Amino acid sequence: SRFRAVFRAETGFSPQEHLLRRRIERAKRLLTAGDQPITAIALACGFGTSQYFATAFRRLTGFTPRAWRARG
């Protein structure tokens, strides 16, 4: 609880939100850099399902993973 409060004060995000943002940043790099299947990228970035990955990705970026890859 104390850790969470200090973490939020320093970063502006909860530890969970920070981790999610880091995973999405990694996914963005993988989507742009290669031709791995989106499901493989989702799993490599620590998401349990590609559906949750797509939902989280769209919430944070405004794009679906496929659209992000297409814009290159």
Side-chain angles (χ1 to χ4, degrees):
S1 161
R2 172 88 175 125
F3 171 76
R4 184 177 184 180
V6 171
F7 193 93
R8 184 179 288 278
E10 292 293 320
T11 65
F13 302 107
S14 69
Q16 183 178 6
E17 182 72 13
H18 177 73
L19 180 59
L20 178 63
R21 288 176 179 275
R22 296 280 312 261
R23 288 176 174 167
I24 294 296
E25 288 302 317
R26 180 172 182 228
K28 289 194 296 192
R29 288 190 303 272
L30 291 173
L31 287 166
T32 303
D35 59 351
Q36 279 185 303
I38 292 173
T39 300
I41 291 173
L43 296 175
C45 292
F47 292 92
T49 66
S50 59
Q51 292 82 9
Y52 175 60
F53 167 64
T55 300
F57 193 92
R58 184 170 185 142
R59 181 171 55 89
L60 291 177
T61 66
F63 294 93
T64 63
R66 184 171 298 201
W68 183 270
R69 176 177 272 170
R71 65 182 277 237

